[in-house]
Amino acid sequence: MAHIELLLNDARSFLSEQPESLQGRITELHHVIHEKLGAGNDFLGWLDLPINYNRNEYARILQAAKKIRRQSEVLVVIGIGGSYLGAKAGLEFLNEPFKKNQLEIIFAGHQMSGIYLANLLEYLKNKDFSINVISKSGTTTEPAIAFRILKKALEEKYGKDEAKERIYATTDRQKGALYTVAKENGYEMFIIPDDVGGRFSVLTAVGLLPLAAAGINTDQLLKGAEEAYDRFMNPSLTTNEAYLYAATRYLLYQQDKKVEMLVGYEPNLLYLNEWWKQLFGESEGKDHKGLFVASAGFSTDLHSLGQYIQDGERHLFETVIQVKHSSKDILIPEEEQDLDELNYLKGKKLSYVNEQALKGTMMAHKDGMVPNLLINIPRFDSFTFGYLIYFFEKACAMSAYLIDVNPFNQPGVEAYKKNMFALLGKKGYENIIK
């Protein structure tokens, strides 16, 4: 039995052909992926990470995590895109709201707000902190600016000798600006493998160091990914939920569904949504192809986006994540006067109400001609997070190859950078804007 369950009951009736009809094409592309025959095949290192990660580096990650917790109250993780979203998704997925943890993780370098960074520097003045800077090149504008500023603050607070013991660089194996700075200053370094792109890097030091530092059980996380790896080695759509998901969303796309919304009913899922949007948006959105990926947190967004989803243009479908088991819950009390008319729910668990909201919404949206795919996950734990990450990564590779695009490049990302550099006066970009 699969650790997660994909249910298509509220999607199949919308399909002119069923995903199983694509089995031949899926099997062919499975071979292309695993034999590394397709476009972007030099970035398939993530494929075997659950069983083929560097054990020695992983041991160093765990030791560094202990050192960070011993030294610091705060770890500032500097990175953008895949260099922060996976770790942030894991922290939100696994941490209990309002619980004060041993180590606070704060992210920087994922935007260029002077307000945010100035407030962060003010906050850190009375905190012991360390830095994990994550960048393949070390020249990506947002994290490079943040690192320059935060490194200066760290050195002013502790002096250069102690500061270098509080800086951890996750970067290229042997080249780049960050590699050079780390080597020259003696920072502890961890590797972003050459064949793993940022949005597929959660199971490398990029995600594992911040998560381990936060006290998350990364052993179980890797075991979850390993179980998903084993299960998805078989391309059969009767057992491979990742490929079944890819095939279903492909068929909906072929039927002019242009938007996929990832929906969850728990706040812990909100940053998984953000990671998922980068994963699929950057992997599929090229050559004027691909689904536009969006997300929502229900039932909150039912009071904002709900009207459009129910009655707006019929160009979207939803993938809903349901968490089957709650680690904590609360009973709804009885009120003597019942002015809010809620006594009919007395003694009911709030999770039960949330579940009925999910079921009722799926029924309504299906009636409103919005296909719904349902992903059931058992609970919020490290094993499930690792499994889910690999599920989406494998599905993403298949999805992109189904629409005949390279899943592992992002040529469109460079367009804004060239204009920005020209406007900022960077040498070599003077003639970009005319």
mmCIF file of all heavy atoms in Angstrom, residues 13 19 24 49 69 77 90 139 165 192 202 209 239 261 276 288 294 300 302 314 349 370 377 415:
data_model
loop_
_atom_site.group_PDB
_atom_site.id
_atom_site.type_symbol
_atom_site.label_atom_id
_atom_site.label_comp_id
_atom_site.label_asym_id
_atom_site.label_seq_id
_atom_site.Cartn_x
_atom_site.Cartn_y
_atom_site.Cartn_z
ATOM 1 N N SER A 13 -14.570 11.893 -14.519
ATOM 2 C CA SER A 13 -15.737 12.162 -15.359
ATOM 3 C C SER A 13 -15.514 13.343 -16.302
ATOM 4 O O SER A 13 -16.251 13.517 -17.274
ATOM 5 C CB SER A 13 -16.974 12.418 -14.486
ATOM 6 O OG SER A 13 -16.773 13.557 -13.664
ATOM 7 N N PRO A 19 -6.352 8.360 -17.833
ATOM 8 C CA PRO A 19 -4.882 8.393 -17.786
ATOM 9 C C PRO A 19 -4.229 7.067 -18.139
ATOM 10 O O PRO A 19 -3.124 7.033 -18.686
ATOM 11 C CB PRO A 19 -4.582 8.817 -16.343
ATOM 12 C CG PRO A 19 -5.866 8.761 -15.597
ATOM 13 C CD PRO A 19 -6.952 8.857 -16.585
ATOM 14 N N GLY A 24 1.600 3.447 -22.373
ATOM 15 C CA GLY A 24 2.727 3.236 -23.276
ATOM 16 C C GLY A 24 3.676 4.414 -23.296
ATOM 17 O O GLY A 24 4.905 4.248 -23.226
ATOM 18 N N LEU A 49 18.945 10.499 -5.343
ATOM 19 C CA LEU A 49 19.380 11.039 -4.044
ATOM 20 C C LEU A 49 18.889 10.239 -2.837
ATOM 21 O O LEU A 49 19.633 10.084 -1.856
ATOM 22 C CB LEU A 49 18.943 12.501 -3.897
ATOM 23 C CG LEU A 49 19.894 13.564 -4.440
ATOM 24 C CD1 LEU A 49 19.300 14.942 -4.230
ATOM 25 C CD2 LEU A 49 21.267 13.472 -3.781
ATOM 26 N N ARG A 69 22.978 24.704 16.945
ATOM 27 C CA ARG A 69 22.045 24.777 18.087
ATOM 28 C C ARG A 69 22.772 25.113 19.382
ATOM 29 O O ARG A 69 22.222 25.804 20.247
ATOM 30 C CB ARG A 69 21.287 23.449 18.237
ATOM 31 C CG ARG A 69 20.258 23.199 17.153
ATOM 32 C CD ARG A 69 19.252 22.135 17.567
ATOM 33 N NE ARG A 69 19.871 20.854 17.836
ATOM 34 C CZ ARG A 69 20.118 19.933 16.918
ATOM 35 N NH1 ARG A 69 19.796 20.171 15.647
ATOM 36 N NH2 ARG A 69 20.676 18.779 17.238
ATOM 37 N N VAL A 77 19.102 31.732 7.275
ATOM 38 C CA VAL A 77 19.336 30.991 6.039
ATOM 39 C C VAL A 77 19.168 31.954 4.878
ATOM 40 O O VAL A 77 18.089 32.528 4.677
ATOM 41 C CB VAL A 77 18.358 29.799 5.908
ATOM 42 C CG1 VAL A 77 18.595 29.049 4.602
ATOM 43 C CG2 VAL A 77 18.507 28.854 7.095
ATOM 44 N N GLY A 90 9.514 22.490 4.593
ATOM 45 C CA GLY A 90 9.676 21.449 5.607
ATOM 46 C C GLY A 90 9.454 21.964 7.011
ATOM 47 O O GLY A 90 8.810 21.306 7.837
ATOM 48 N N THR A 139 26.758 34.750 -6.861
ATOM 49 C CA THR A 139 26.551 36.048 -7.496
ATOM 50 C C THR A 139 25.078 36.367 -7.751
ATOM 51 O O THR A 139 24.779 37.420 -8.327
ATOM 52 C CB THR A 139 27.308 36.117 -8.845
ATOM 53 O OG1 THR A 139 26.840 35.065 -9.706
ATOM 54 C CG2 THR A 139 28.804 35.983 -8.637
ATOM 55 N N GLU A 165 33.406 30.877 12.265
ATOM 56 C CA GLU A 165 32.912 29.633 12.869
ATOM 57 C C GLU A 165 31.389 29.589 12.897
ATOM 58 O O GLU A 165 30.797 28.573 13.270
ATOM 59 C CB GLU A 165 33.451 29.496 14.298
ATOM 60 C CG GLU A 165 34.954 29.349 14.389
ATOM 61 C CD GLU A 165 35.458 28.090 13.720
ATOM 62 O OE1 GLU A 165 34.777 27.042 13.850
ATOM 63 O OE2 GLU A 165 36.506 28.151 13.050
ATOM 64 N N ILE A 192 26.326 21.691 -3.205
ATOM 65 C CA ILE A 192 25.174 21.554 -4.094
ATOM 66 C C ILE A 192 25.671 20.747 -5.284
ATOM 67 O O ILE A 192 26.510 21.239 -6.057
ATOM 68 C CB ILE A 192 24.639 22.916 -4.576
ATOM 69 C CG1 ILE A 192 24.308 23.828 -3.394
ATOM 70 C CG2 ILE A 192 23.419 22.717 -5.464
ATOM 71 C CD1 ILE A 192 23.952 25.253 -3.799
ATOM 72 N N VAL A 202 16.012 19.795 -2.295
ATOM 73 C CA VAL A 202 15.591 19.686 -0.894
ATOM 74 C C VAL A 202 16.337 18.571 -0.161
ATOM 75 O O VAL A 202 16.651 18.691 1.025
ATOM 76 C CB VAL A 202 14.072 19.423 -0.786
ATOM 77 C CG1 VAL A 202 13.622 19.482 0.667
ATOM 78 C CG2 VAL A 202 13.291 20.411 -1.616
ATOM 79 N N LEU A 209 20.505 20.786 5.918
ATOM 80 C CA LEU A 209 21.181 21.496 7.012
ATOM 81 C C LEU A 209 20.222 22.371 7.811
ATOM 82 O O LEU A 209 20.154 22.266 9.041
ATOM 83 C CB LEU A 209 22.369 22.306 6.489
ATOM 84 C CG LEU A 209 23.118 23.118 7.565
ATOM 85 C CD1 LEU A 209 23.622 22.229 8.690
ATOM 86 C CD2 LEU A 209 24.266 23.907 6.939
ATOM 87 N N THR A 239 0.182 1.379 -9.854
ATOM 88 C CA THR A 239 0.909 1.492 -8.579
ATOM 89 C C THR A 239 1.704 2.778 -8.439
ATOM 90 O O THR A 239 2.106 3.142 -7.333
ATOM 91 C CB THR A 239 1.881 0.310 -8.396
ATOM 92 O OG1 THR A 239 2.802 0.290 -9.504
ATOM 93 C CG2 THR A 239 1.135 -1.010 -8.330
ATOM 94 N N MET A 261 -4.637 24.561 -9.304
ATOM 95 C CA MET A 261 -4.522 25.110 -7.952
ATOM 96 C C MET A 261 -4.217 23.979 -6.985
ATOM 97 O O MET A 261 -4.925 22.971 -6.956
ATOM 98 C CB MET A 261 -5.819 25.796 -7.539
ATOM 99 C CG MET A 261 -6.157 27.027 -8.342
ATOM 100 S SD MET A 261 -7.599 27.894 -7.671
ATOM 101 C CE MET A 261 -6.933 28.448 -6.085
ATOM 102 N N TRP A 276 6.012 23.911 -4.287
ATOM 103 C CA TRP A 276 5.382 23.216 -5.412
ATOM 104 C C TRP A 276 5.214 24.161 -6.599
ATOM 105 O O TRP A 276 5.431 23.770 -7.751
ATOM 106 C CB TRP A 276 4.035 22.669 -4.943
ATOM 107 C CG TRP A 276 3.146 22.071 -5.981
ATOM 108 C CD1 TRP A 276 3.127 20.782 -6.412
ATOM 109 C CD2 TRP A 276 2.086 22.743 -6.711
ATOM 110 N NE1 TRP A 276 2.135 20.601 -7.357
ATOM 111 C CE2 TRP A 276 1.489 21.795 -7.554
ATOM 112 C CE3 TRP A 276 1.604 24.055 -6.706
ATOM 113 C CZ2 TRP A 276 0.420 22.109 -8.396
ATOM 114 C CZ3 TRP A 276 0.551 24.379 -7.551
ATOM 115 C CH2 TRP A 276 -0.034 23.408 -8.381
ATOM 116 N N HIS A 288 6.156 28.586 -24.407
ATOM 117 C CA HIS A 288 4.740 28.961 -24.452
ATOM 118 C C HIS A 288 3.837 27.787 -24.117
ATOM 119 O O HIS A 288 2.726 27.675 -24.638
ATOM 120 C CB HIS A 288 4.378 29.552 -25.823
ATOM 121 C CG HIS A 288 5.127 30.800 -26.148
ATOM 122 N ND1 HIS A 288 5.090 31.391 -27.377
ATOM 123 C CD2 HIS A 288 5.952 31.578 -25.383
ATOM 124 C CE1 HIS A 288 5.860 32.472 -27.379
ATOM 125 N NE2 HIS A 288 6.382 32.601 -26.177
ATOM 126 N N ALA A 294 -1.055 27.717 -9.253
ATOM 127 C CA ALA A 294 -1.461 28.638 -8.200
ATOM 128 C C ALA A 294 -1.802 27.814 -6.966
ATOM 129 O O ALA A 294 -1.801 26.583 -7.007
ATOM 130 C CB ALA A 294 -2.662 29.464 -8.650
ATOM 131 N N THR A 300 -9.914 29.374 4.470
ATOM 132 C CA THR A 300 -9.685 30.824 4.432
ATOM 133 C C THR A 300 -10.001 31.409 3.061
ATOM 134 O O THR A 300 -10.785 32.359 2.931
ATOM 135 C CB THR A 300 -8.219 31.135 4.796
ATOM 136 O OG1 THR A 300 -7.928 30.572 6.072
ATOM 137 C CG2 THR A 300 -7.978 32.627 4.829
ATOM 138 N N LEU A 302 -11.654 30.315 0.633
ATOM 139 C CA LEU A 302 -13.012 30.156 0.123
ATOM 140 C C LEU A 302 -13.810 31.444 0.298
ATOM 141 O O LEU A 302 -14.815 31.664 -0.379
ATOM 142 C CB LEU A 302 -13.726 29.006 0.843
ATOM 143 C CG LEU A 302 -13.227 27.608 0.487
ATOM 144 C CD1 LEU A 302 -13.880 26.567 1.390
ATOM 145 C CD2 LEU A 302 -13.503 27.283 -0.975
ATOM 146 N N ARG A 314 -14.083 28.546 -16.668
ATOM 147 C CA ARG A 314 -13.854 27.117 -16.409
ATOM 148 C C ARG A 314 -12.542 26.647 -17.043
ATOM 149 O O ARG A 314 -12.506 25.755 -17.879
ATOM 150 C CB ARG A 314 -15.026 26.282 -16.950
ATOM 151 C CG ARG A 314 -16.402 26.630 -16.376
ATOM 152 C CD ARG A 314 -16.508 26.388 -14.886
ATOM 153 N NE ARG A 314 -15.873 27.445 -14.125
ATOM 154 C CZ ARG A 314 -15.671 27.404 -12.807
ATOM 155 N NH1 ARG A 314 -16.065 26.361 -12.110
ATOM 156 N NH2 ARG A 314 -15.082 28.396 -12.178
ATOM 157 N N LYS A 349 -15.292 17.252 17.024
ATOM 158 C CA LYS A 349 -13.916 17.705 16.864
ATOM 159 C C LYS A 349 -13.832 18.729 15.728
ATOM 160 O O LYS A 349 -14.533 18.607 14.721
ATOM 161 C CB LYS A 349 -12.999 16.525 16.555
ATOM 162 C CG LYS A 349 -12.834 15.549 17.713
ATOM 163 C CD LYS A 349 -11.905 14.410 17.317
ATOM 164 C CE LYS A 349 -11.703 13.449 18.484
ATOM 165 N NZ LYS A 349 -10.812 12.318 18.118
ATOM 166 N N VAL A 370 -15.467 21.988 -11.967
ATOM 167 C CA VAL A 370 -14.045 22.079 -11.652
ATOM 168 C C VAL A 370 -13.561 20.689 -11.245
ATOM 169 O O VAL A 370 -13.946 20.188 -10.181
ATOM 170 C CB VAL A 370 -13.770 23.080 -10.504
ATOM 171 C CG1 VAL A 370 -12.287 23.108 -10.157
ATOM 172 C CG2 VAL A 370 -14.257 24.468 -10.883
ATOM 173 N N ILE A 377 -2.642 12.325 2.609
ATOM 174 C CA ILE A 377 -1.399 12.015 3.320
ATOM 175 C C ILE A 377 -1.763 11.636 4.749
ATOM 176 O O ILE A 377 -2.755 12.126 5.294
ATOM 177 C CB ILE A 377 -0.399 13.186 3.292
ATOM 178 C CG1 ILE A 377 -0.918 14.405 4.065
ATOM 179 C CG2 ILE A 377 -0.084 13.579 1.846
ATOM 180 C CD1 ILE A 377 0.113 15.530 4.197
ATOM 181 N N ALA A 415 15.612 37.035 -18.130
ATOM 182 C CA ALA A 415 15.174 38.246 -18.820
ATOM 183 C C ALA A 415 15.093 39.453 -17.897
ATOM 184 O O ALA A 415 15.596 40.538 -18.214
ATOM 185 C CB ALA A 415 13.821 37.997 -19.489
#
